Amino acid sequence: MQNDNWRFGAEKNDIVLDTDTYNEMDDQFAVLWALLSPERLNVRALTAAPFLNEQSASPADGMEKSFLELERIVELSGRNPQGLVWRGSAAYLPDRRTPVLSPAAFRIAELAREARRNGTRLKILAIAALTNVASALLLAPDIAESVDVVWLGGQPYDWETQDEFNFRQDVAAVRVVFESGALFAHIPCIHGAETLITTLPELEERCFPHGRFGAYLRELAGRFMRRGSSRIIWDISTVAFFCVPEAFLQQEVELPRLLDDGSWSRSESSGRRALLVRHIERDPVFNRFFEALERNSL
């Protein structure tokens, strides 16, 4: 159930999509879907997040590669990336009090203040380490009153470990966002986004035939998927939260206290409440995504 105080509404939403786009292939699905859903999402900024894995030499390199990939996607959609795509943090937070300055952090703060002046709220869809979002909140703590954060990362609070990519890269940033006072919806990986599985045969039938967008996603799948394999497209969960809200089972919960070592306290409450996604129905999400691709087939 969703309390009326939570403002993750079904109306058209101004959004920032914060993404480590070059990290694997699921971010690109999410970015494309957001850009192809103007009836529900008004994309005000795409911000590149730092990441470090086999696709990057450093967090800064990961951020720069993500920035360039975002520019590529925006140009593919026929839009101008200037003023829409922003470089983010070149490093993770050094602690819970010190922001990492970046164009992305300043842009998030600017858009949040604009939303407050307009009597609206800015939705931040975060599908990466929370460094950029946390930096914006540290730079401008007042924006917590006018932003709603939907984050894919971590696991349910009773899970044995939080050893998950988006979570473990910047635990300090997770603490900043969780404790900021911003309205917060949490999509964990286990019992959450893990349901969003697709296969190469499904993509070949319903995705790849759709013009230049399908061809772009075919190129990605060629890099990350093998014949006969399946893959979880984790990051579309945040876009689906707004485009297919009926597919989500969510519950208002009291957040436990997050400790410095990245574990949840079993005995202490943070005093904060959030929406926790308990389950996502897979088929409605992919059906809506494929429909968006088909409508915009070029």
Side-chain angles (χ1 to χ4, degrees):
M1 296 181 63
Q2 183 168 325
N3 187 298
D4 288 341
N5 291 329
W6 298 98
R7 303 179 188 180
F8 301 98
E11 72 282 357
K12 185 171 180 177
N13 296 277
D14 284 350
I15 71 160
V16 170
L17 184 54
D18 187 62
T19 160
D20 52 359
T21 326
Y22 198 79
N23 165 39
E24 46 178 335
M25 65 180 278
D26 50 341
D27 295 77
Q28 290 92 328
F29 278 71
V31 174
L32 260 181
W33 192 5
L35 291 171
L36 298 179
S37 301
E39 71 284 355
R40 301 299 292 271
L41 301 175
N42 180 25
V43 182
R44 301 296 309 279
L46 298 167
T47 52
F51 76 89
L52 175 60
N53 64 8
E54 65 277 3
Q55 301 293 328
S56 65
S58 67
D61 180 56
M63 183 278 294
E64 183 65 20
K65 286 177 174 174
S66 293
F67 173 81
L68 295 174
E69 186 76 353
L70 283 170
E71 287 196 320
R72 180 186 180 195
I73 297 170
V74 170
E75 289 171 349
L76 187 70
S77 72
R79 298 176 63 173
N80 185 347
Q82 187 172 0
L84 182 62
V85 179
W86 300 81
R87 286 183 170 88
S89 304
Y92 303 125
L93 292 190
D95 55 58
R96 289 188 291 124
R97 295 166 295 280
T98 308
V100 181
L101 303 184
S102 71
F106 285 111
R107 182 58 174 161
I108 291 170
E110 179 182 40
L111 290 172
R113 286 172 168 161
E114 177 187 308
R116 183 173 57 197
R117 290 193 300 271
N118 294 337
T120 59
R121 298 180 70 82
L122 179 69
K123 317 298 185 186
I124 301 174
L125 283 59
I127 53 178
L130 282 168
T131 314
N132 291 334
V133 182
S135 294
L137 287 162
L138 289 169
L139 282 166
D142 59 293
I143 69 171
E145 301 174 0
S146 55
V147 299
D148 302 339
V149 179
V150 181
W151 180 52
L152 166 69
Q155 309 296 8
Y157 310 131
D158 58 355
W159 204 250
E160 180 178 346
T161 176
Q162 294 297 316
D163 187 19
E164 182 277 326
F165 188 69
N166 289 349
F167 186 103
R168 69 172 178 262
Q169 288 187 97
D170 199 338
V171 175
V174 178
R175 288 198 65 179
V176 169
V177 175
F178 275 43
E179 296 169 5
S180 67
L183 287 181
F184 184 72
H186 184 192
I187 305 174
C189 292
I190 293 172
H191 302 323
E194 69 174 354
T195 65
L196 301 177
I197 301 172
T198 190
T199 64
L200 266 179
E202 180 178 52
L203 294 175
E204 287 169 347
E205 177 183 350
R206 304 194 63 190
C207 177
F208 299 160
H210 296 310
R212 63 191 185 203
F213 303 132
Y216 167 70
L217 295 175
R218 177 187 286 112
E219 176 190 331
L220 281 173
R223 289 166 46 201
F224 289 97
M225 298 181 72
R226 295 181 178 179
R227 176 64 55 184
S229 68
S230 63
R231 193 172 185 94
I232 302 174
I233 310 298
W234 309 90
D235 290 338
I236 62 172
S237 58
T238 57
V239 178
F241 189 86
F242 293 95
C243 291
V244 201
E246 65 273 16
F248 285 71
L249 175 64
Q250 55 202 23
Q251 179 184 13
E252 185 179 336
V253 299
E254 187 168 349
L255 289 174
R257 184 167 171 262
L258 181 58
L259 305 178
D260 286 332
D261 65 0
S263 64
W264 299 105
S265 171
R266 301 287 182 177
S267 58
E268 298 176 86
S269 168
S270 67
R272 294 259 289 115
R273 301 189 71 79
L275 285 182
L276 176 65
V277 170
R278 296 290 193 181
H279 179 70
I280 306 172
E281 289 290 334
R282 180 255 182 225
D283 288 352
V285 169
F286 276 100
N287 285 337
R288 197 71 56 84
F289 170 73
F290 294 137
E291 289 166 5
L293 274 186
E294 185 173 5
R295 281 196 313 271
N296 294 277
S297 182
L298 298 171

